[in-house]
């Protein structure tokens, strides 16, 4: 079993936790692999301090845990609008 590091980041103002139900170990692994691949390919927003992905012991889902500097910084802001 892998020991957990301290998940509390001293600068975290907001923690977002989401549970993803995938149903089977195969779908769970595929989803985890896709998420980790995306994390590696994309530039991390400066306000995101840390993120963790946990696989359920029964293989039926994932838990995503992310720490941000504040609630205001958790999104990329409003989508651009077309000119009038």
């Amino acid at each position: 079993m892998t020991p957990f590091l301290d998940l509390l980041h001293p600068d975290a103002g907001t923690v977002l936790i989401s549970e993803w139900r995938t149903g089977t170990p195969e779908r769970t692994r595929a989803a985890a692999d896709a998420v980790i691949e995306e994390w590696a390919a994309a530039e991390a927003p400066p306000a995101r301090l840390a993120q963790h992905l946990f696989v359920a012991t029964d293989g039926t889902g994932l838990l995503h845990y992310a720490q941000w500097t504040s609630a205001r910084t958790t999104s990329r802001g409003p989508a651009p609008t077309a000119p009038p």
Side-chain angles (χ1 to χ4, degrees), residues 19-43:
E19 181 180 12
W20 305 347
R21 292 303 207 172
T22 54
T24 68
E26 295 77 20
R27 291 194 318 228
T28 299
R29 176 53 48 202
D33 290 345
V35 168
I36 291 168
E37 184 178 310
E38 177 65 24
W39 288 353
E43 184 176 339

Side-chain angles (χ1 to χ4, degrees), residues 5-72:
L5 300 175
D6 186 3
L7 294 179
L8 180 60
H9 195 290
D11 297 326
T14 296
V15 172
L16 299 178
I17 302 172
S18 59
E19 181 180 12
W20 305 347
R21 292 303 207 172
T22 54
T24 68
E26 295 77 20
R27 291 194 318 228
T28 299
R29 176 53 48 202
D33 290 345
V35 168
I36 291 168
E37 184 178 310
E38 177 65 24
W39 288 353
E43 184 176 339
R48 188 179 65 218
L49 302 171
Q51 60 185 359
H52 308 275
L53 190 65
F54 300 97
V55 176
T57 56
D58 66 359
T60 62
L62 300 168
L63 183 73
H64 179 235
Y65 179 91
Q67 297 174 9
W68 293 79
T69 56
S70 71
R72 187 174 47 85

